[in-house]
Amino acid sequence: MKTRLPAGLLGLVLVAVLTACSAEAKPPGANATDIRFSLEMIPHHAQTIELADLVPHRGSHPFITDVATRVKTDETAEIEQMSSWQSWNVPLPQSSHHMAGMDMPGMATEAEVVALRTSSGPEFDQLWLSTLAKHLRSGVDMAKATQAGGGIHPGTRDLTRKVITEQEAAIADITRQQSSST
């Protein structure tokens, strides 16, 4: 069973990692910007997967099912990719099975998660689309910040481009769907 990394501990891990990544202790082929991206994006993606897992029991529209399947598949693969960068010797955050408790920018709030868990049908669909679009937008922002922050790891650079492209496309699809259903 996976356990979630408490927000305070995540902060301590980030501080320790970033401190260890001083000029004399940087992992080969990566810098603090690259490492921060993975440490923040892994739990962010884990929450996206958990949001997607709500769809089969509550959603009512095929578009919702399709989006949930795509983001779950893509983000599971990206978590595995980021987790494979073990040569950095950095402890990775554990996936959360209690996503509402994460206190990290860009995460769905506890109130949003409760609202999703207590709704179904068309009400769930609209709420889920809004929550997911906001969540994906924060992922795009994280990827853009990593690009602007000067990451040097080729895998991180490739992944940030992919996250931006795919998540902006998903947000555009969601926006179109929301517009057509109003």
Side-chain angles (χ1 to χ4, degrees), residues 20-174:
C21 291
S22 64
E24 59 273 3
K26 285 180 187 164
N31 63 20
T33 301
D34 299 309
I35 294 169
R36 175 179 293 237
F37 175 77
S38 290
L39 290 177
E40 292 177 350
M41 193 57 76
I42 289 172
H44 190 271
H45 275 12
Q47 188 180 61
T48 307
I49 293 165
E50 291 179 41
L51 292 171
D53 285 343
L54 296 172
V55 170
H57 309 290
R58 292 176 173 77
S60 66
H61 195 283
F63 175 79
I64 305 297
T65 303
D66 180 56
V67 171
T69 301
R70 278 188 287 139
V71 297
K72 184 174 181 174
T73 300
D74 292 348
E75 297 200 8
T76 297
E78 290 170 5
I79 287 173
E80 290 171 8
Q81 179 183 10
M82 288 181 282
S83 297
S84 74
W85 296 331
Q86 284 299 315
S87 63
W88 295 351
N89 296 319
V90 174
L92 297 172
Q94 297 297 306
S95 296
S96 165
H97 281 288
H98 181 65
M99 63 183 157
M102 296 297 292
D103 184 23
M104 188 176 97
M107 300 296 273
T109 66
E110 185 171 354
E112 290 168 329
V113 173
V114 168
L116 286 166
R117 287 185 174 152
T118 58
S119 63
S120 62
E123 175 189 3
F124 171 85
D125 293 348
Q126 287 305 310
L127 184 58
W128 188 82
L129 287 172
S130 296
T131 303
L132 184 66
K134 178 180 146 194
H135 187 74
L136 294 177
R137 171 57 53 207
S138 70
V140 168
D141 292 345
M142 290 166 61
K144 287 181 177 180
T146 299
Q147 289 179 338
I152 62 169
H153 181 252
T156 300
R157 287 196 317 238
D158 290 344
L159 185 56
T160 59
R161 284 190 294 272
K162 180 181 179 201
V163 165
I164 292 166
T165 301
E166 290 180 0
Q167 291 189 1
E168 284 181 340
I171 293 165
D173 289 346
I174 290 168

